[in-house]
Every structure is written in structure tokens, then in C-alpha cells.
Amino acid sequence: MPALKQRRQIADTVRAICSWLIALIIFFPIFWMVITSFKTELGAFSMPPEFFFKPTLENYREIMEANDYLHFAWNSLVTSGGATLVGMLLAVPAAYSFAFHPTRRTQGILTWMLSTKMLPAVGVLVPIYLMARDLGLLDTRLVLVIIFALVNLPIMVWMIYTYFRDVPRDILEAARMDGATLFQEMFRVLLPVSRGGLASTALLSLILNWNEAFWSINLTTTQASPLSALVASFSSPQGLFWAKLSAISTLACAPIVLLGWGSQKQLVRGLTFGAVK
Amino acid sequence: MSEAARESRRAGRLTASPAILLLFIWMIVPLAFTVYFSTQNYLLLDPENRGFAGLENFSYFLSSSSFLNSLLITLKLVGSVLVITVVLGVLISVLVDAKFPGQGVVRMLLISPFFIMPTVSALIWKNLLMNPVSGLFAWLFQLVGLTPINWFSDWPLLSIIIIVSWEWLPFAILIFVTSLQSMDQEQKEAAQMDGATPVSIFRYLTLPHLARPIAVVVMVEAIFLLNIFAEIFTTTSGGPGDATTNVPYLVFTQALLEFDVGTASAGGLVAVVLANLVAAALLRVFGKSLTQA
């Protein structure tokens, strides 16, 4: 039946074109941001918009020379990296306990952990702000590390727990029979076989911390502000520098978008706690 | 109890306690303080004048028109973004599920907005796209002879909904596309052989298959959407008037702009109760499809 085959081919082509069109529309704001970052300030503001122009690196040069960009980027790196490290140090042992030494209370504890994510940040903003102020931690990277780590801890425990459940218990028991200590059992046996899961958990934590804005805006002013807060400061008068804003935004988002592209498969599993396969 | 079982219990307790303990402190201490502050007259600018206020802060917060308004805005925002992202997410996922050239690239483009910082996406939309004078949308409107829309003053809440939907649609697509890959292809082909139309395949095979991922998306998104803050902070600051002030933003203005710790704490507790009510309601509706493995 050639007619049917032909009709099917047309349908497939239409489908492919529609898919591409939708993808380009959804991606467009990001594309436009990157394009604008290579325009002059005047060009970024011009009407009708410039589609063909001589790209300039002036915005990037200015951002890099005014060394405050590096200051904020360093804060982002330290706070999101530090919080991921602290989170992993707490989450791995906990997930190990829930996966390999479950008790009657384990399911309840896991659910309770997740329920702390339901606690709206604004609900506890005031006391956290006052405690940070009284301890002299306002506008320090330390306070962000502590908060980011605790905010994401439940998700990290769940993710690692989902991965650990798939590790055959026999391997661990064999190691224990051979006289491995708890420490050796974790570092020599468990961690090497679940490297992939641990990496994607750390990645997700890094992404969430890097993009976090609520605590960053409310607990820091300049000393410890990460990029998300720097970008937010462009919401008022400075907002007229669109090309520079685009350049900063591009630099702030690029690493995370690349990380996200590289890890989309594992992210789904982590974000849905293995409920979607 | 055997020696091995006792040993296992000891190891389990030893490794789980730090996380449980810290998380417990993280939850209970600020919450206890919030409960305490909510019963106090406490202005940060006038800290000497503190005293017991009873339930005054709650009655003040709950009876103020700004609270009812912010509650309505929160529900509108969460509700519309959920509907938009789930409906469009399902349709787009089904569309890109079949094999075609460049499928991998299309998928990467589709999920990208999810990784963009909320503050960045808000500012990009506000300045580069929705600006009434020099934004791209204004130019497009002029191109077809229409008057450009002044998005943030004429349609403030809609503007926020568009931005937030753009951020979360990729999440829905990411989950749905993954789920569709595990669908039984033979069943689909058999249905096609029997002459089932694409619409009935979608209705009777695809949608039931997606029930669980839809539940997951609704649950996860609801948690994050109830807390929307950065997008409002960087675009409208809750305005014009209070047209985009949701509950989180209202509490923020009470706490850090008006320095009223008592009322802000009361508002914070209301937000906690609200989040739990929404979570409980969602669990009632979607809980079944989540727990059925």
C-alpha cells in the first residue's frame, strides 16, 4: 500500500518539524540571552532588535576586569560545592543505614525526612535570620553552606537510598564475613559499586545550590553573595545594562546547563526517587 | 538476638544518627522560635518594646486583606502553572517520543530552561522579551500592527505565570519522555493493527501509562511552586499594588521590609499550614498512583 506509506512519511515529517519548532521556541530565551551578551549596550537596547551585528567581547572583558564577578562566582562555587560535600558526608551513611540495616521505623523516618521539604522557607526565615545575626553569621559563606546542605539533605538521602537498594546485599555480607570493618565495607565495597548514583546525587545538589536564591538574597549582602544574588541585584537601576546582564547571566548559567545536559537520565531517577523509570 | 543482628543494628544507628539529628534540629528549632515569635509584639526597629501578644499577630495577619489576596494569588499561580506544565508537557512528550532526525538535540533544547537560575530567567524575560519599549515581544507585536503589551503593569500575574511555566515545563517533559520510553510498544502496535486511532491510543494506552509520572510531577512541582520567590522579587516586587504578592512574598515584606517579626512569624506559620494542607490534598488525589509500585 504505497499511499498509506506515503501518508505515514508525511506525518513523520510534520511531526519532526513541529518538534523542532517547539524546541526552538522553548530554547529561544536562552539563545537570545547569549546573543545579547555579544552586543554593545546600545545594540542590546535598539529597536527593531539587531539580528545581524558585529559580535563584541567587550561585556565579558568588562565583567572580568571588574573583579567583583570572580568574587561572586567564587562564592557560588564555595557555597554550592561546600554544601554538596557536607550533604554527601551526612547522606551517604544515612542512606547506607536505611538500605542495609532497615528497622521497622525506617520507612517512617524516610517519609518524615521528605516532609521537612514541605516546610516553606518563609515559615522559618525570621528565626534563621535572627540566629544568623546573633551568631555573627549574616553575610558569611558558612551560613549558606549549612542551610543549603540541610535543605537538600532529604532529597540526597532518598536518592542515594534508591541507588543503594539495587546493590546486592551479598557483596556487603561477604566483605563482612571476611572481617571488613564498617568503614572498609563502605569505602572499599559499597562506594565503588555505586559511583554513578553518588555522582548524580552530588550533581543534583550542586545544581540546586548553584541556582538557589531565597536564602542567598535574604542572608547575604555582598561579602558572601553568590551569583544568583548578584543577578537579582540587576532587577533595579542597573538593569539598564542589558548586554552586561546577559553576559553575567550566560557565565552564571553555562556550567549548570552543561552539567544538566550531561546528566539528564540520572537526574530523572533522582528527582522522582526511582518512581519513574 | 544474635550477635550479627545486634551488630547490624548498632551499625545502622551509628550511620543514620548524624543526618537524622541535624535534620531534626533544622526542623524543630526554627519552627519552635517561629511559634514563640508569633505570640510576641516584636519590631526589629524597636526591640525594647517586646511583650506577649497572644493571638493578636494571627488575627492581624489573617484578617488583613493582603493575606486573603496573597492566598488567592498563591493558589492561582500554583494551579495555573500545574495545569499548563502538565497538559503541554504530556502533549510535547508524546510528540517528541517517536524517532526523528535530531531527536537528542531537540530533547536537550527542551529541558534546558530547567537548569537556568530563577533570577536569571526572570530578568531575561522581563528585560529582553517582555519590555514594552525595546523587548522582542513588543517588536513582534508592532510587526503585525498591534500595540505592544505592557506586560508587568497590565498583566502582572499572567507574566509571572508565563515565566514560571517556562521554567517548569522542561521538568514535566523530562519526566514524561523518560516514562514514555518504558511503554509497551507491542501493545501499541497491536492496537494499531486492530484499527485504533491515534486519539484512542493516547486516551486508553498513553494516558494511563503516564498516571504515575503525572502524580510525581504534580507533587514535586507543588512543593517548589508554593515557595516561588525569586521570580517575583526580581520582576514585580509583588506589585503593581499587591497584584503579584503571594504568601511567601507577603511574609518576606513583613519580615525584612517592615521588620515586624511577630506578624511575619504568624504569616510563616500560616504558610506552613497551607503547604501541609495542599500536600495532604494532593496526596489524597494522587497518593494511590504514587504508592502502587
Side-chain angles (χ1 to χ4, degrees):
Chain A
M1 282 185 289
L4 194 67
K5 206 176 161 194
Q6 204 175 16
R7 211 183 316 155
R8 203 158 167 184
Q9 255 171 6
I10 294 173
D12 282 350
T13 313
V14 170
R15 190 182 192 140
I17 292 173
C18 286
S19 302
W20 269 99
L21 211 63
I22 291 175
L24 290 176
I25 290 173
I26 287 184
F27 188 75
F28 183 80
I30 301 174
F31 167 77
W32 197 238
M33 165 183 91
V34 178
I35 290 294
T36 307
S37 73
F38 292 109
K39 292 181 179 177
T40 60
E41 284 300 345
L42 214 61
F45 204 75
S46 79
M47 192 69 173
E50 286 184 338
F51 289 98
F52 302 98
F53 58 93
K54 205 166 142 253
T56 167
L57 283 173
E58 193 50 39
N59 300 310
Y60 288 94
R61 194 174 305 132
E62 265 181 58
I63 290 168
M64 286 304 185
E65 268 166 21
N67 49 19
D68 58 340
Y69 168 77
L70 290 177
H71 166 74
F72 289 98
W74 176 244
N75 284 341
S76 273
L77 200 66
V78 170
T79 53
S80 50
T84 301
L85 197 70
V86 174
M88 292 299 277
L89 285 177
L90 290 169
V92 170
Y96 163 81
S97 163
F98 299 146
F100 300 108
H101 304 282
T103 64
R104 265 175 296 129
R105 272 174 300 177
T106 296
Q107 273 306 319
I109 293 177
L110 275 165
T111 316
W112 163 74
M113 280 195 161
L114 204 57
S115 76
T116 64
K117 272 303 279 184
M118 289 278 180
L119 198 72
V122 281
V124 291
L125 170 64
V126 174
I128 300 274
Y129 180 84
L130 293 177
M131 274 187 258
R133 189 196 61 181
D134 294 345
L135 293 171
L137 289 176
L138 271 189
D139 207 12
T140 62
R141 289 187 285 258
L142 181 63
V143 75
L144 289 188
V145 168
I146 296 171
I147 288 178
F148 290 174
L150 288 171
V151 164
N152 290 326
L153 189 57
I155 293 188
M156 296 171 81
V157 170
W158 264 92
M159 258 180 104
I160 302 173
Y161 168 73
T162 335
Y163 286 107
F164 279 177
R165 259 188 331 198
D166 292 349
V167 175
R169 300 184 63 143
D170 307 353
I171 316 181
L172 295 188
E173 269 158 26
R176 218 172 303 151
M177 290 296 173
D178 291 345
T181 62
L182 180 64
F183 190 78
Q184 288 169 327
E185 186 185 323
M186 279 223 277
F187 279 85
R188 290 276 174 78
V189 186
L190 184 58
L191 296 192
V193 296
S194 38
R195 251 186 331 228
L198 295 176
S200 56
T201 307
L203 213 63
L204 180 71
S205 154
L206 215 56
I207 293 175
L208 291 175
N209 294 337
W210 187 275
N211 291 346
E212 204 286 333
F214 180 79
W215 294 110
S216 311
I217 290 172
N218 284 319
L219 295 181
T220 68
T221 43
T222 48
Q223 276 309 308
S225 291
L227 286 169
S228 57
L230 170 70
V231 175
S233 72
F234 273 75
S235 51
S236 41
Q238 290 171 299
L240 285 176
F241 297 111
W242 290 358
K244 239 171 260 96
L245 166 70
S246 300
I248 287 184
S249 301
T250 305
L251 285 178
C253 293
I256 293 306
V257 173
L258 293 178
L259 272 183
W261 280 351
S263 60
Q264 40 169 316
K265 278 221 184 73
Q266 295 90 312
L267 280 184
V268 172
R269 190 154 172 221
L271 281 165
T272 60
F273 315 119
V276 174
K277 287 191 178 122
Chain B
M1 195 189 284
S2 75
E3 184 59 33
R6 204 170 300 131
E7 185 60 28
S8 157
R9 247 178 118 174
R10 205 182 60 84
R13 208 172 300 141
L14 187 74
T15 45
S17 328
I20 295 178
L21 196 70
L22 284 173
L23 212 52
F24 186 71
I25 295 174
W26 163 245
M27 183 190 76
I28 208 72
V29 172
L31 203 59
F33 269 109
T34 310
V35 172
Y36 168 69
F37 285 143
S38 70
T39 66
Q40 299 282 306
N41 278 315
Y42 185 3
L43 294 171
L44 269 187
L45 296 181
D46 185 15
E48 301 304 309
N49 242 331
R50 262 174 85 169
F52 184 70
L55 293 176
E56 234 171 74
N57 287 321
F58 285 94
S59 60
Y60 174 73
F61 186 83
L62 288 171
S63 65
S64 73
S65 61
S66 35
F67 166 68
L68 281 180
N69 174 63
S70 70
L71 186 64
L72 199 66
I73 285 170
T74 305
L75 295 179
K76 273 189 200 168
L77 181 61
V78 176
S80 355
V81 175
L82 278 180
V83 171
I84 293 172
T85 54
V86 168
V87 172
L88 287 183
V90 168
L91 294 178
I92 293 176
S93 308
V94 171
L95 182 74
V96 302
D97 185 42
K99 288 242 174 305
F100 60 86
Q103 193 184 30
V105 181
V106 162
R107 242 173 241 180
M108 264 160 57
L109 295 179
L110 281 175
I111 62 166
S112 303
F114 184 58
F115 304 115
I116 300 287
M117 279 179 198
T119 48
V120 166
S121 60
L123 285 176
I124 295 301
W125 278 84
K126 180 190 181 188
N127 293 328
L128 301 185
L129 301 175
M130 287 173 160
N131 184 294
V133 179
S134 58
L136 201 76
F137 288 178
W139 175 71
L140 286 174
F141 271 73
Q142 279 173 359
L143 215 59
V144 291
L146 293 170
T147 320
I149 295 179
N150 198 344
W151 289 92
F152 287 101
S153 27
D154 294 346
W155 302 92
L157 189 57
L158 178 68
S159 309
I160 303 273
I161 290 174
I162 293 176
I163 297 175
V164 177
S165 300
W166 178 77
E167 289 175 334
W168 283 94
L169 178 59
F171 172 69
I173 295 177
L174 185 66
I175 306 290
F176 295 152
V177 162
T178 312
S179 164
L180 286 176
Q181 284 170 341
S182 70
M183 223 172 120
D184 189 351
Q185 290 304 316
E186 279 173 30
Q187 199 183 14
K188 213 168 125 187
E189 274 159 29
Q192 271 169 340
M193 291 291 192
D194 293 344
T197 62
V199 175
S200 62
I201 290 181
F202 176 76
R203 169 72 188 79
Y204 295 104
L205 289 180
T206 313
L207 269 190
H209 178 81
L210 285 178
R212 194 175 155 88
I214 287 176
V216 170
V217 167
V218 170
M219 291 296 296
V220 174
E221 279 191 20
I223 295 176
F224 284 92
L225 295 178
L226 279 168
N227 281 310
I228 289 284
F229 173 80
E231 292 83 343
I232 295 174
F233 178 83
T234 39
T235 54
T236 62
S237 304
D242 52 10
T244 52
T245 300
N246 63 353
V247 175
Y249 201 83
L250 181 64
V251 175
F252 163 79
T253 54
Q254 295 285 351
L256 293 188
L257 300 182
E258 293 183 23
F259 303 108
D260 183 347
V261 177
T263 310
S265 298
L269 285 180
V270 172
V272 172
V273 172
L274 179 72
N276 282 294
L277 282 180
V278 171
L282 288 174
L283 273 176
R284 265 191 97 99
V285 180
F286 292 103
K288 244 198 205 128
S289 52
L290 274 178
T291 45
Q292 279 166 355

